Amino acid sequence: MAEEFNFNQLKMELYEDRLYVTRKWISNYGKLSQYADYEAYINCIKEAFNMVEIVMGNTIYNYRNKIRYVERVSLGHRNGRERFGYRYNGVKDLIDYSLAVSFFGKVKILRQLNFPIPENLDDVRVLRNMTTHNTHTMVGTVADQALSYENVLRSMEMLGTTLHKIGLLRAEDILPEYEKMRVKPGDTVGYSGEYQVGDFIAEGGMSRVYLGLHTRLNRPVAIKELKPYTYRPEQIQNEKQFLVSIENSQIPQIFDIFNQNGTYYIVMEYIDGVGLGRYVEENQPDVDERMAIAVQVCKVLRYIHNECNMVYADLKPDNIMIERTGRVCLIDFGISETAEPGVNAGAYSWFYSSPEQMNGYYIDKRSDVYSLGSLLQFLFAYNNDSGGISYMEELGDYREEVQGLCEICKREDPNDRFQTVEQVEDHIRRIKNDILNQPKAKKRNIRRAILIGIFSLLFLALVSGIVAYSIRFENGYMEPFGENVVATDDGLEIEFSLANRSDTEFDETYILNADIYLTINYQKQKGDKQLTKSMQVELSIPCKLDRTVKPGQILHGQKYEISWDALRSVIATEGKIELPELNRQNVTIGEIPGTKTKISITFLQ
């Protein structure tokens, strides 16, 4: 008896193995993504069609050779060869095996043999034709409709159901869940399969990381597989091009972000180093090195906040890498959030995430300030025997100050924290550069000189930028310089921070002086001439504390307001100048060119 069709023996063996078929189906299904292009859809659906066709062919072949037919009936001749139909017990129709040369011929035969092939499988004819012809000619409305993500997904479900009805795929694997699609070493990912997955590196609460190979560039990469439901997919997709375009030496370059296997993958530069936690444990860095690491973390956070307008949202030791060269890198940048109002970050890390993030509330850059405070505690503190936190003895006289720094960062109300990373960085740099970098024998003497020097300063201003104020009466406008003073409808608002380096506790009865330098430009009409005069006036404005300051404690975010009328009166008294009405419309705040003026805070006995 002549055989009407033949199959490759190897394919028959492989595609009769349910485990093999399941693995191949899940691998192919994982390539389906709503963000892929037509070519990816075609490759995915074509692979699924080929798989189903081979399985159907194997099933028909086995039936043909294992089930005894009752009757063989001649169906005439075609192309010079006689065709036969076969009748089986319990089968209504004659089976013409010559139809098995086509996909839908196999579908017909299996239905005749009482296999419950889904009726809606017939609806995929257009898509089947597109996989067997030149897809580049299928454009316009036909391609848009046939190759829509929803249509391709429905077709995959029909094909998977067909495999299930034949007995080669379990029902729960037709639309496999994410955990079944997770990558393994040796897999390839990427819409073109350009990234080869290597050894597993690490796993966190939000992702798994693998060493990988960029096959086109032949260079090592890190492949981060994000876990579903721990990120906002629309955010990642919207920010994809932006994230890929970021260039900063402390942020690994991101090569690609794509959606596969029911999740997202971020392919980035491979950092040859270790996490901060492991680095600290193995190297036991001294205080100076820990300060340097803290400064570098602040620096990259400042870049993220100011240049990228994003909230990092996952600052913790595991996401800080120390490269073998000493470079401090911030990884996991691909899940950061835009710093627009209304951002809600669902994932968090206990101890490092802010209260508002853990409670699912809106977050902003101050949430990163909270996490930074926790990171500083990791670097400079430890859990003591009583269940509290103690700070390193190596900090010496500055243990209380670092403690105060961390406590301000970690206040529950974001309004009570440092408002920017720059403020925290200024504190750390000052301690590192002006104190901790000095020879140890000189540190105590330097502190004593600060405390009991010829000016008897018991408080030092932590704001050190060059700040001054210019008052104009000629169509001027208000523009604050820095964060030290702002003009409001009611007057000038002076903001200052202090560190109590004495052994004395100070309360609200103590008064500080804010020394402000003003450049006053005013016009005076004299006859037919209009004279313009400019002069500088130094004012001393008393400011009160609003809370008690203990030894070593930092007082942050102090605000004192002086009304426009009071300021005008001070200028008249100390500067001997009578000015018209002052308000925020005719006052410009800015730096005085060519001067070294700044705000200075001094203690008054």
Side-chain angles (χ1 to χ4, degrees):
M1 178 183 67
E3 294 291 345
E4 287 83 0
F5 57 94
N6 191 19
F7 297 94
N8 181 280
Q9 186 65 32
L10 178 60
K11 284 187 177 181
M12 288 180 62
E13 293 177 359
L14 289 177
Y15 283 88
E16 288 177 351
D17 183 347
R18 173 186 281 185
L19 182 60
Y20 176 83
V21 171
T22 299
R23 285 202 305 262
K24 194 170 183 64
W25 172 262
I26 291 176
S27 174
N28 183 58
Y29 184 89
K31 299 174 184 177
L32 184 61
S33 165
Q34 58 181 316
Y35 305 109
D37 56 17
Y38 282 174
E39 195 68 30
Y41 287 164
I42 284 293
N43 292 335
C44 182
I45 203 71
K46 186 175 183 179
E47 179 69 24
F49 269 119
N50 289 341
M51 187 185 316
V52 171
E53 186 164 16
I54 293 173
V55 168
M56 291 194 302
N58 286 349
T59 303
I60 294 171
Y61 181 84
N62 290 333
Y63 198 98
R64 167 72 177 81
N65 288 277
K66 294 179 180 180
I67 305 299
R68 182 181 297 276
Y69 60 84
V70 176
E71 180 183 7
R72 186 173 71 160
V73 179
S74 176
L75 299 177
H77 290 75
R78 177 184 294 174
N79 298 326
R81 298 181 61 184
E82 186 175 11
R83 296 166 50 237
F84 293 94
Y86 300 87
R87 191 181 302 282
Y88 297 90
N89 286 328
V91 176
K92 178 180 178 181
D93 300 318
L94 284 173
I95 305 301
D96 181 2
Y97 285 108
S98 66
L99 298 177
V101 295
S102 71
F103 180 88
F104 285 99
K106 294 181 179 68
V107 171
K108 181 177 180 180
I109 292 175
L110 287 173
R111 286 174 175 162
Q112 290 175 327
L113 293 175
N114 299 322
F115 284 90
I117 304 300
E119 292 297 329
N120 54 10
L121 188 64
D122 297 332
D123 297 336
V124 300
R125 285 183 180 273
V126 173
L127 211 54
R128 168 63 178 174
N129 292 336
M130 294 183 70
T131 65
T132 55
H133 297 86
N134 183 358
T135 60
H136 296 288
T137 63
M138 306 292 289
V139 295
T141 304
V142 174
D144 289 339
Q145 293 178 350
L147 289 175
S148 68
Y149 172 72
E150 293 75 14
N151 196 23
V152 172
L153 187 62
R154 282 194 298 270
S155 298
M156 289 290 290
E157 185 174 5
M158 296 176 198
L159 294 170
T161 302
T162 301
L163 292 176
H164 169 61
K165 295 300 183 181
I166 293 175
L168 270 295
L169 190 68
R170 293 181 300 181
E172 59 266 31
D173 293 328
I174 297 173
L175 302 177
E177 297 179 350
Y178 158 74
E179 284 300 325
K180 294 183 178 180
M181 295 187 286
R182 283 179 47 189
V183 296
K184 302 174 295 297
D187 290 348
T188 58
V189 291
Y191 294 141
S192 301
E194 61 269 43
Y195 306 110
Q196 184 174 354
V197 181
D199 294 338
F200 171 79
I201 296 177
E203 179 174 359
M206 301 181 69
S207 62
R208 300 180 183 93
V209 183
Y210 298 84
L211 178 63
L213 177 68
H214 194 309
T215 55
R216 289 203 306 267
L217 301 180
N218 193 30
R219 63 177 295 176
V221 294
I223 301 175
K224 183 182 300 296
E225 182 182 59
L226 301 184
K227 297 179 181 179
Y229 314 117
T230 56
Y231 55 87
R232 299 169 61 238
E234 68 276 9
Q235 177 65 33
I236 295 177
Q237 190 62 31
N238 292 340
E239 299 294 336
K240 175 180 176 180
Q241 295 303 319
F242 170 72
L243 293 173
V244 172
S245 67
I246 290 177
E247 294 184 2
N248 184 283
S249 61
Q250 291 184 262
I251 299 175
Q253 181 183 357
I254 297 178
F255 299 121
D256 201 358
I257 301 175
F258 52 88
N259 181 274
Q260 278 188 3
N261 298 333
T263 187
Y264 274 90
Y265 292 86
I266 302 176
V267 181
M268 63 183 66
E269 174 188 359
Y270 174 68
I271 302 298
D272 186 14
V274 297
L276 179 59
R278 179 179 168 186
Y279 180 84
V280 169
E281 180 181 357
E282 294 180 352
N283 296 276
Q284 294 297 311
D286 59 21
V287 169
D288 288 356
E289 184 177 357
R290 292 170 190 251
M291 285 285 178
I293 292 172
V295 168
Q296 290 303 307
V297 173
C298 289
K299 181 180 176 182
V300 68
L301 276 180
R302 175 160 43 87
Y303 171 83
I304 292 172
H305 288 181
N306 298 341
E307 301 300 325
C308 304
N309 192 36
M310 300 191 76
V311 181
Y312 181 67
D314 199 25
L315 185 65
K316 57 185 178 182
D318 289 345
N319 287 341
I320 299 170
M321 296 289 289
I322 310 297
E323 205 173 21
R324 296 185 185 276
T325 60
R327 179 171 62 138
V328 178
C329 295
L330 196 60
I331 62 174
D332 250 346
F333 186 63
I335 59 170
S336 302
E337 301 282 354
T338 55
E340 299 297 330
V343 168
N344 182 294
Y348 61 85
S349 301
W350 183 85
F351 183 72
Y352 291 97
S353 295
S354 64
E356 60 268 24
Q357 184 172 350
M358 288 193 291
N359 289 321
Y361 299 147
Y362 295 150
I363 66 171
D364 57 26
K365 298 172 185 178
R366 295 172 297 181
S367 183
D368 283 344
V369 171
Y370 182 97
S371 302
L372 181 58
S374 296
L375 186 71
L376 294 177
Q377 286 183 324
F378 167 79
L379 286 171
F380 300 109
Y382 58 91
N383 294 324
N384 56 39
D385 294 337
S386 62
I389 295 179
S390 296
Y391 286 77
M392 298 171 58
E393 294 290 342
E394 291 81 355
L395 289 170
D397 294 334
Y398 304 99
R399 293 175 66 192
E400 293 83 0
E401 185 171 339
V402 174
Q403 178 179 352
L405 183 66
C406 296
E407 288 175 352
I408 293 174
C409 288
K410 296 190 65 172
R411 286 176 178 165
E412 185 171 357
D413 188 342
N415 294 317
D416 293 337
R417 301 172 197 158
F418 290 109
Q419 299 300 288
T420 65
V421 169
E422 287 91 334
Q423 292 174 325
V424 184
E425 183 180 356
D426 286 344
H427 286 278
I428 299 173
R429 285 185 181 274
R430 177 180 53 77
I431 296 173
K432 177 182 182 299
N433 297 332
D434 296 341
I435 301 172
L436 294 180
N437 277 346
Q438 300 296 325
K440 292 184 178 180
K442 295 182 180 180
K443 288 178 183 177
R444 185 172 296 276
N445 291 335
I446 291 173
R447 178 176 180 269
R448 185 176 294 114
I450 292 173
L451 292 175
I452 60 175
I454 59 174
F455 296 109
S456 300
L457 298 182
L458 298 181
F459 287 89
L460 296 180
L462 298 185
V463 287
S464 58
I466 299 175
V467 181
Y469 313 95
S470 175
I471 299 180
R472 304 181 63 88
F473 297 100
E474 45 182 53
N475 298 323
Y477 60 93
M478 185 282 293
E479 180 180 359
F481 180 86
E483 295 183 359
N484 307 122
V485 172
V486 295
T488 68
D489 290 335
D490 299 323
L492 288 181
E493 183 179 83
I494 304 168
E495 181 177 350
F496 56 93
S497 298
L498 303 170
N500 183 359
R501 297 193 187 283
S502 73
D503 297 326
T504 305
E505 181 178 289
F506 298 97
D507 59 23
E508 296 89 337
T509 62
Y510 288 86
I511 300 175
L512 304 172
N513 265 0
D515 296 330
I516 300 178
Y517 298 82
L518 301 171
T519 293
I520 301 175
N521 302 306
Y522 64 96
Q523 295 176 345
K524 185 176 182 180
Q525 197 74 24
K526 190 174 182 179
D528 296 334
K529 295 182 180 180
Q530 188 178 62
L531 302 179
T532 300
K533 189 175 181 179
S534 177
M535 65 179 299
Q536 292 187 5
V537 178
E538 179 180 344
L539 305 178
S540 182
I541 301 177
C543 305
K544 281 189 175 184
L545 302 178
D546 67 358
R547 67 178 74 104
T548 299
V549 189
K550 297 180 180 180
Q553 186 177 5
I554 297 173
L555 190 64
H556 169 69
Q558 289 291 283
K559 293 182 180 179
Y560 181 81
E561 289 188 359
I562 179 170
S563 68
W564 294 120
D565 288 341
L567 179 61
R568 182 170 173 267
S569 176
V570 173
I571 294 174
T573 301
E574 298 189 22
K576 309 300 181 184
I577 302 173
E578 292 292 339
L579 297 175
E581 180 183 1
L582 295 181
N583 54 59
R584 65 184 302 176
Q585 279 71 41
N586 59 23
V587 173
T588 298
I589 300 179
E591 182 179 354
I592 299 177
T595 70
K596 297 181 179 179
T597 58
K598 62 181 180 181
I599 289 181
S600 64
I601 307 294
T602 58
F603 174 72
L604 293 183
Q605 295 287 351

